[in-house]
Amino acid sequence: MTGTRVFLTGVGGQGTLTATIILGQAAMDKGIDVTAGEVHGMAQRGGVVESTLLLGGYRSPRISHGEAHVLLGFEPLETLRALPYLVAEGGTIVSNAEPIMPLGVTMGRETYPSLDDIRKRAEACASRVVFLPCQSIGAEVGALQCGNLALLGAACATGALPLTPDDLIAAVKARLKPKVVDMNLKAIDLGVAAVS
């Protein structure tokens, strides 16, 4: 198979690293070689969390600017900040459309960019862009954290990953605690629906 480099980014507390693990496990369950890495310096204070997932035989977990085939953004501003990592042509972006305001914005010291601007800049960088309301989907299925599975479901539905939504569903059933499986499966369904 051709390799796929996936760059995942969000802020602390969103479950970006958990989503990385689930996606990696889904790939391993399918027999795909996985290499992963993560950066989460101030994650517990709402700082940026970045992780990488390289599918298909890569040896290094690093992704440099211009190398990511797929960008998964769990927070819109972090999606914007990660745009330089996307390949120059043919990249795919799947992003949460609902911001989590940084402390500087909530204190009135900084301004959050408009979602329209973020979307336009994303569309200028990628051949396919999907924004979906992850927190709202999470709330609809019973837990905000499930919004991450909605995002992963949408990513699998785009065809940009070597994984289908059914591959993701199988990983969730096999790896998550039984009491949270149903709500995460509902989130995946809603994420897939957001792509079609």
Side-chain angles (χ1 to χ4, degrees), residues 46-81:
V48 66
V49 177
E50 297 174 345
S51 59
T52 58
L53 198 61
L54 295 95
L55 308 174
Y58 293 99
R59 292 178 184 255
S60 169
R62 286 189 48 98
I63 295 178
S64 297
H65 285 182
E67 290 187 342
H69 302 102
V70 179
L71 169 58
L72 302 181
F74 296 89
E75 201 289 321
L77 181 57
E78 298 310 322
T79 299
L80 178 64
R81 289 178 173 152

mmCIF file of all heavy atoms in Angstrom, residues 46-81:
data_model
loop_
_atom_site.group_PDB
_atom_site.id
_atom_site.type_symbol
_atom_site.label_atom_id
_atom_site.label_comp_id
_atom_site.label_asym_id
_atom_site.label_seq_id
_atom_site.Cartn_x
_atom_site.Cartn_y
_atom_site.Cartn_z
ATOM 1 N N GLY A 46 -4.576 23.340 28.599
ATOM 2 C CA GLY A 46 -5.278 23.750 27.393
ATOM 3 C C GLY A 46 -4.353 24.084 26.254
ATOM 4 O O GLY A 46 -4.778 24.662 25.259
ATOM 5 N N GLY A 47 -3.079 23.725 26.379
ATOM 6 C CA GLY A 47 -2.129 23.996 25.306
ATOM 7 C C GLY A 47 -2.301 23.043 24.142
ATOM 8 O O GLY A 47 -3.081 22.097 24.195
ATOM 9 N N VAL A 48 -1.527 23.290 23.098
ATOM 10 C CA VAL A 48 -1.638 22.482 21.888
ATOM 11 C C VAL A 48 -1.172 21.052 22.146
ATOM 12 O O VAL A 48 -0.248 20.802 22.909
ATOM 13 C CB VAL A 48 -0.845 23.133 20.738
ATOM 14 C CG1 VAL A 48 0.649 23.129 21.034
ATOM 15 C CG2 VAL A 48 -1.125 22.419 19.437
ATOM 16 N N VAL A 49 -1.865 20.132 21.490
ATOM 17 C CA VAL A 49 -1.488 18.719 21.492
ATOM 18 C C VAL A 49 -1.380 18.305 20.027
ATOM 19 O O VAL A 49 -2.323 18.495 19.259
ATOM 20 C CB VAL A 49 -2.549 17.847 22.188
ATOM 21 C CG1 VAL A 49 -2.161 16.374 22.103
ATOM 22 C CG2 VAL A 49 -2.724 18.271 23.636
ATOM 23 N N GLU A 50 -0.231 17.804 19.668
ATOM 24 C CA GLU A 50 -0.029 17.347 18.295
ATOM 25 C C GLU A 50 0.434 15.903 18.319
ATOM 26 O O GLU A 50 1.224 15.510 19.169
ATOM 27 C CB GLU A 50 1.032 18.193 17.592
ATOM 28 C CG GLU A 50 0.655 19.648 17.442
ATOM 29 C CD GLU A 50 1.776 20.505 16.867
ATOM 30 O OE1 GLU A 50 2.941 20.045 16.846
ATOM 31 O OE2 GLU A 50 1.485 21.630 16.467
ATOM 32 N N SER A 51 -0.062 15.135 17.382
ATOM 33 C CA SER A 51 0.417 13.766 17.255
ATOM 34 C C SER A 51 0.498 13.419 15.778
ATOM 35 O O SER A 51 -0.103 14.088 14.928
ATOM 36 C CB SER A 51 -0.488 12.782 18.004
ATOM 37 O OG SER A 51 -1.803 12.846 17.517
ATOM 38 N N THR A 52 1.283 12.408 15.503
ATOM 39 C CA THR A 52 1.460 11.961 14.126
ATOM 40 C C THR A 52 1.169 10.482 14.034
ATOM 41 O O THR A 52 1.432 9.724 14.968
ATOM 42 C CB THR A 52 2.900 12.223 13.648
ATOM 43 O OG1 THR A 52 3.811 11.549 14.519
ATOM 44 C CG2 THR A 52 3.207 13.710 13.632
ATOM 45 N N LEU A 53 0.624 10.091 12.917
ATOM 46 C CA LEU A 53 0.334 8.686 12.663
ATOM 47 C C LEU A 53 0.756 8.421 11.221
ATOM 48 O O LEU A 53 0.204 9.016 10.295
ATOM 49 C CB LEU A 53 -1.164 8.441 12.849
ATOM 50 C CG LEU A 53 -1.633 7.018 13.035
ATOM 51 C CD1 LEU A 53 -1.021 6.402 14.288
ATOM 52 C CD2 LEU A 53 -3.138 6.974 13.126
ATOM 53 N N LEU A 54 1.742 7.574 11.076
ATOM 54 C CA LEU A 54 2.259 7.282 9.740
ATOM 55 C C LEU A 54 1.907 5.837 9.408
ATOM 56 O O LEU A 54 2.303 4.910 10.125
ATOM 57 C CB LEU A 54 3.762 7.532 9.686
ATOM 58 C CG LEU A 54 4.114 9.017 9.886
ATOM 59 C CD1 LEU A 54 4.437 9.316 11.326
ATOM 60 C CD2 LEU A 54 5.244 9.427 8.982
ATOM 61 N N LEU A 55 1.143 5.672 8.367
ATOM 62 C CA LEU A 55 0.584 4.369 8.013
ATOM 63 C C LEU A 55 1.251 3.837 6.758
ATOM 64 O O LEU A 55 1.338 4.546 5.752
ATOM 65 C CB LEU A 55 -0.927 4.501 7.779
ATOM 66 C CG LEU A 55 -1.713 5.183 8.900
ATOM 67 C CD1 LEU A 55 -3.165 5.386 8.493
ATOM 68 C CD2 LEU A 55 -1.621 4.390 10.190
ATOM 69 N N GLY A 56 1.750 2.597 6.847
ATOM 70 C CA GLY A 56 2.272 1.983 5.638
ATOM 71 C C GLY A 56 3.772 1.856 5.549
ATOM 72 O O GLY A 56 4.330 1.873 4.458
ATOM 73 N N GLY A 57 4.452 1.710 6.688
ATOM 74 C CA GLY A 57 5.857 1.355 6.640
ATOM 75 C C GLY A 57 6.850 2.473 6.847
ATOM 76 O O GLY A 57 8.025 2.306 6.547
ATOM 77 N N TYR A 58 6.424 3.614 7.365
ATOM 78 C CA TYR A 58 7.377 4.683 7.669
ATOM 79 C C TYR A 58 8.179 4.305 8.915
ATOM 80 O O TYR A 58 7.698 3.618 9.791
ATOM 81 C CB TYR A 58 6.636 6.000 7.916
ATOM 82 C CG TYR A 58 5.957 6.554 6.694
ATOM 83 C CD1 TYR A 58 4.594 6.371 6.486
ATOM 84 C CD2 TYR A 58 6.666 7.266 5.739
ATOM 85 C CE1 TYR A 58 3.959 6.889 5.370
ATOM 86 C CE2 TYR A 58 6.045 7.790 4.614
ATOM 87 C CZ TYR A 58 4.688 7.596 4.442
ATOM 88 O OH TYR A 58 4.063 8.105 3.343
ATOM 89 N N ARG A 59 9.416 4.809 8.998
ATOM 90 C CA ARG A 59 10.252 4.486 10.148
ATOM 91 C C ARG A 59 10.276 5.604 11.184
ATOM 92 O O ARG A 59 10.445 5.362 12.365
ATOM 93 C CB ARG A 59 11.676 4.177 9.684
ATOM 94 C CG ARG A 59 11.736 2.885 8.900
ATOM 95 C CD ARG A 59 13.126 2.596 8.409
ATOM 96 N NE ARG A 59 13.111 1.397 7.580
ATOM 97 C CZ ARG A 59 13.562 0.233 7.979
ATOM 98 N NH1 ARG A 59 14.075 0.110 9.166
ATOM 99 N NH2 ARG A 59 13.511 -0.801 7.182
ATOM 100 N N SER A 60 10.146 6.850 10.755
ATOM 101 C CA SER A 60 10.206 7.973 11.689
ATOM 102 C C SER A 60 8.800 8.463 12.014
ATOM 103 O O SER A 60 7.950 8.534 11.136
ATOM 104 C CB SER A 60 11.008 9.114 11.066
ATOM 105 O OG SER A 60 10.856 10.293 11.848
ATOM 106 N N PRO A 61 8.546 8.846 13.268
ATOM 107 C CA PRO A 61 7.229 9.389 13.609
ATOM 108 C C PRO A 61 7.078 10.869 13.280
ATOM 109 O O PRO A 61 6.032 11.446 13.503
ATOM 110 C CB PRO A 61 7.158 9.161 15.127
ATOM 111 C CG PRO A 61 8.583 9.244 15.564
ATOM 112 C CD PRO A 61 9.396 8.655 14.442
ATOM 113 N N ARG A 62 8.116 11.488 12.745
ATOM 114 C CA ARG A 62 8.069 12.924 12.455
ATOM 115 C C ARG A 62 7.369 13.209 11.130
ATOM 116 O O ARG A 62 7.500 12.458 10.175
ATOM 117 C CB ARG A 62 9.474 13.514 12.404
ATOM 118 C CG ARG A 62 10.120 13.661 13.764
ATOM 119 C CD ARG A 62 11.409 14.438 13.657
ATOM 120 N NE ARG A 62 11.255 15.654 12.883
ATOM 121 C CZ ARG A 62 11.075 16.862 13.412
ATOM 122 N NH1 ARG A 62 11.039 16.993 14.693
ATOM 123 N NH2 ARG A 62 10.961 17.919 12.647
ATOM 124 N N ILE A 63 6.654 14.321 11.109
ATOM 125 C CA ILE A 63 6.094 14.851 9.875
ATOM 126 C C ILE A 63 6.581 16.292 9.763
ATOM 127 O O ILE A 63 6.346 17.102 10.658
ATOM 128 C CB ILE A 63 4.549 14.806 9.871
ATOM 129 C CG1 ILE A 63 4.059 13.354 9.903
ATOM 130 C CG2 ILE A 63 3.997 15.534 8.656
ATOM 131 C CD1 ILE A 63 2.547 13.201 9.951
ATOM 132 N N SER A 64 7.263 16.597 8.687
ATOM 133 C CA SER A 64 7.737 17.963 8.465
ATOM 134 C C SER A 64 6.706 18.744 7.665
ATOM 135 O O SER A 64 5.751 18.174 7.122
ATOM 136 C CB SER A 64 9.064 17.927 7.704
ATOM 137 O OG SER A 64 10.053 17.285 8.481
ATOM 138 N N HIS A 65 6.913 20.039 7.573
ATOM 139 C CA HIS A 65 6.011 20.869 6.765
ATOM 140 C C HIS A 65 5.940 20.316 5.346
ATOM 141 O O HIS A 65 6.946 19.916 4.766
ATOM 142 C CB HIS A 65 6.499 22.312 6.738
ATOM 143 C CG HIS A 65 6.230 23.039 8.027
ATOM 144 N ND1 HIS A 65 6.550 24.349 8.226
ATOM 145 C CD2 HIS A 65 5.639 22.634 9.181
ATOM 146 C CE1 HIS A 65 6.191 24.729 9.429
ATOM 147 N NE2 HIS A 65 5.644 23.700 10.038
ATOM 148 N N GLY A 66 4.737 20.292 4.794
ATOM 149 C CA GLY A 66 4.538 19.838 3.422
ATOM 150 C C GLY A 66 4.466 18.330 3.253
ATOM 151 O O GLY A 66 4.455 17.854 2.121
ATOM 152 N N GLU A 67 4.380 17.570 4.351
ATOM 153 C CA GLU A 67 4.398 16.111 4.239
ATOM 154 C C GLU A 67 3.099 15.402 4.610
ATOM 155 O O GLU A 67 2.921 14.241 4.256
ATOM 156 C CB GLU A 67 5.521 15.532 5.111
ATOM 157 C CG GLU A 67 6.905 15.817 4.602
ATOM 158 C CD GLU A 67 7.966 15.094 5.398
ATOM 159 O OE1 GLU A 67 7.704 14.648 6.540
ATOM 160 O OE2 GLU A 67 9.086 14.972 4.879
ATOM 161 N N ALA A 68 2.204 16.033 5.331
ATOM 162 C CA ALA A 68 0.995 15.341 5.798
ATOM 163 C C ALA A 68 -0.026 15.201 4.667
ATOM 164 O O ALA A 68 -0.378 16.181 4.025
ATOM 165 C CB ALA A 68 0.379 16.100 6.972
ATOM 166 N N HIS A 69 -0.470 13.972 4.448
ATOM 167 C CA HIS A 69 -1.524 13.740 3.464
ATOM 168 C C HIS A 69 -2.903 14.083 4.025
ATOM 169 O O HIS A 69 -3.807 14.465 3.292
ATOM 170 C CB HIS A 69 -1.513 12.269 3.015
ATOM 171 C CG HIS A 69 -0.216 11.839 2.433
ATOM 172 N ND1 HIS A 69 0.705 11.083 3.127
ATOM 173 C CD2 HIS A 69 0.336 12.087 1.212
ATOM 174 C CE1 HIS A 69 1.773 10.866 2.368
ATOM 175 N NE2 HIS A 69 1.576 11.472 1.204
ATOM 176 N N VAL A 70 -3.041 13.886 5.341
ATOM 177 C CA VAL A 70 -4.324 14.129 6.011
ATOM 178 C C VAL A 70 -4.050 14.950 7.273
ATOM 179 O O VAL A 70 -3.165 14.614 8.066
ATOM 180 C CB VAL A 70 -5.019 12.801 6.391
ATOM 181 C CG1 VAL A 70 -6.337 13.068 7.105
ATOM 182 C CG2 VAL A 70 -5.233 11.935 5.151
ATOM 183 N N LEU A 71 -4.822 16.009 7.453
ATOM 184 C CA LEU A 71 -4.762 16.824 8.661
ATOM 185 C C LEU A 71 -6.081 16.670 9.399
ATOM 186 O O LEU A 71 -7.141 16.963 8.838
ATOM 187 C CB LEU A 71 -4.521 18.295 8.290
ATOM 188 C CG LEU A 71 -4.691 19.339 9.401
ATOM 189 C CD1 LEU A 71 -3.773 19.054 10.578
ATOM 190 C CD2 LEU A 71 -4.455 20.732 8.846
ATOM 191 N N LEU A 72 -6.005 16.194 10.636
ATOM 192 C CA LEU A 72 -7.192 16.063 11.476
ATOM 193 C C LEU A 72 -7.101 17.097 12.578
ATOM 194 O O LEU A 72 -6.209 17.028 13.431
ATOM 195 C CB LEU A 72 -7.287 14.653 12.072
ATOM 196 C CG LEU A 72 -7.322 13.499 11.066
ATOM 197 C CD1 LEU A 72 -7.450 12.160 11.796
ATOM 198 C CD2 LEU A 72 -8.454 13.670 10.069
ATOM 199 N N GLY A 73 -8.002 18.068 12.561
ATOM 200 C CA GLY A 73 -7.972 19.160 13.529
ATOM 201 C C GLY A 73 -9.134 19.044 14.507
ATOM 202 O O GLY A 73 -10.290 19.147 14.100
ATOM 203 N N PHE A 74 -8.813 18.879 15.774
ATOM 204 C CA PHE A 74 -9.860 18.730 16.780
ATOM 205 C C PHE A 74 -10.314 20.084 17.314
ATOM 206 O O PHE A 74 -11.257 20.162 18.095
ATOM 207 C CB PHE A 74 -9.369 17.821 17.912
ATOM 208 C CG PHE A 74 -9.108 16.420 17.429
ATOM 209 C CD1 PHE A 74 -7.858 16.058 16.934
ATOM 210 C CD2 PHE A 74 -10.118 15.480 17.410
ATOM 211 C CE1 PHE A 74 -7.620 14.774 16.459
ATOM 212 C CE2 PHE A 74 -9.893 14.201 16.936
ATOM 213 C CZ PHE A 74 -8.644 13.847 16.453
ATOM 214 N N GLU A 75 -9.630 21.157 16.894
ATOM 215 C CA GLU A 75 -9.985 22.520 17.284
ATOM 216 C C GLU A 75 -9.644 23.407 16.082
ATOM 217 O O GLU A 75 -8.548 23.292 15.519
ATOM 218 C CB GLU A 75 -9.177 22.910 18.530
ATOM 219 C CG GLU A 75 -9.748 24.056 19.348
ATOM 220 C CD GLU A 75 -9.626 25.399 18.674
ATOM 221 O OE1 GLU A 75 -8.567 25.643 18.033
ATOM 222 O OE2 GLU A 75 -10.558 26.202 18.747
ATOM 223 N N PRO A 76 -10.565 24.282 15.650
ATOM 224 C CA PRO A 76 -10.346 25.019 14.395
ATOM 225 C C PRO A 76 -9.076 25.858 14.336
ATOM 226 O O PRO A 76 -8.392 25.885 13.303
ATOM 227 C CB PRO A 76 -11.598 25.906 14.288
ATOM 228 C CG PRO A 76 -12.623 25.243 15.130
ATOM 229 C CD PRO A 76 -11.889 24.525 16.221
ATOM 230 N N LEU A 77 -8.738 26.574 15.417
ATOM 231 C CA LEU A 77 -7.530 27.399 15.387
ATOM 232 C C LEU A 77 -6.288 26.519 15.245
ATOM 233 O O LEU A 77 -5.340 26.878 14.539
ATOM 234 C CB LEU A 77 -7.435 28.257 16.655
ATOM 235 C CG LEU A 77 -6.233 29.190 16.753
ATOM 236 C CD1 LEU A 77 -6.163 30.146 15.562
ATOM 237 C CD2 LEU A 77 -6.274 29.967 18.070
ATOM 238 N N GLU A 78 -6.303 25.362 15.891
ATOM 239 C CA GLU A 78 -5.160 24.456 15.753
ATOM 240 C C GLU A 78 -5.107 23.871 14.336
ATOM 241 O O GLU A 78 -4.017 23.605 13.809
ATOM 242 C CB GLU A 78 -5.216 23.350 16.808
ATOM 243 C CG GLU A 78 -5.134 23.854 18.241
ATOM 244 C CD GLU A 78 -3.980 24.825 18.480
ATOM 245 O OE1 GLU A 78 -2.894 24.625 17.904
ATOM 246 O OE2 GLU A 78 -4.178 25.794 19.236
ATOM 247 N N THR A 79 -6.248 23.688 13.718
ATOM 248 C CA THR A 79 -6.266 23.284 12.310
ATOM 249 C C THR A 79 -5.562 24.344 11.466
ATOM 250 O O THR A 79 -4.712 24.029 10.630
ATOM 251 C CB THR A 79 -7.716 23.106 11.811
ATOM 252 O OG1 THR A 79 -8.349 22.085 12.580
ATOM 253 C CG2 THR A 79 -7.756 22.735 10.334
ATOM 254 N N LEU A 80 -5.915 25.599 11.708
ATOM 255 C CA LEU A 80 -5.294 26.710 10.978
ATOM 256 C C LEU A 80 -3.780 26.715 11.185
ATOM 257 O O LEU A 80 -3.018 26.845 10.216
ATOM 258 C CB LEU A 80 -5.904 28.029 11.445
ATOM 259 C CG LEU A 80 -5.341 29.302 10.826
ATOM 260 C CD1 LEU A 80 -5.618 29.349 9.328
ATOM 261 C CD2 LEU A 80 -5.928 30.529 11.519
ATOM 262 N N ARG A 81 -3.361 26.555 12.421
ATOM 263 C CA ARG A 81 -1.928 26.590 12.713
ATOM 264 C C ARG A 81 -1.168 25.424 12.066
ATOM 265 O O ARG A 81 0.022 25.524 11.802
ATOM 266 C CB ARG A 81 -1.707 26.557 14.224
ATOM 267 C CG ARG A 81 -2.099 27.831 14.915
ATOM 268 C CD ARG A 81 -1.898 27.720 16.399
ATOM 269 N NE ARG A 81 -2.129 29.014 17.032
ATOM 270 C CZ ARG A 81 -2.544 29.176 18.272
ATOM 271 N NH1 ARG A 81 -2.767 28.120 19.028
ATOM 272 N NH2 ARG A 81 -2.730 30.375 18.757
#
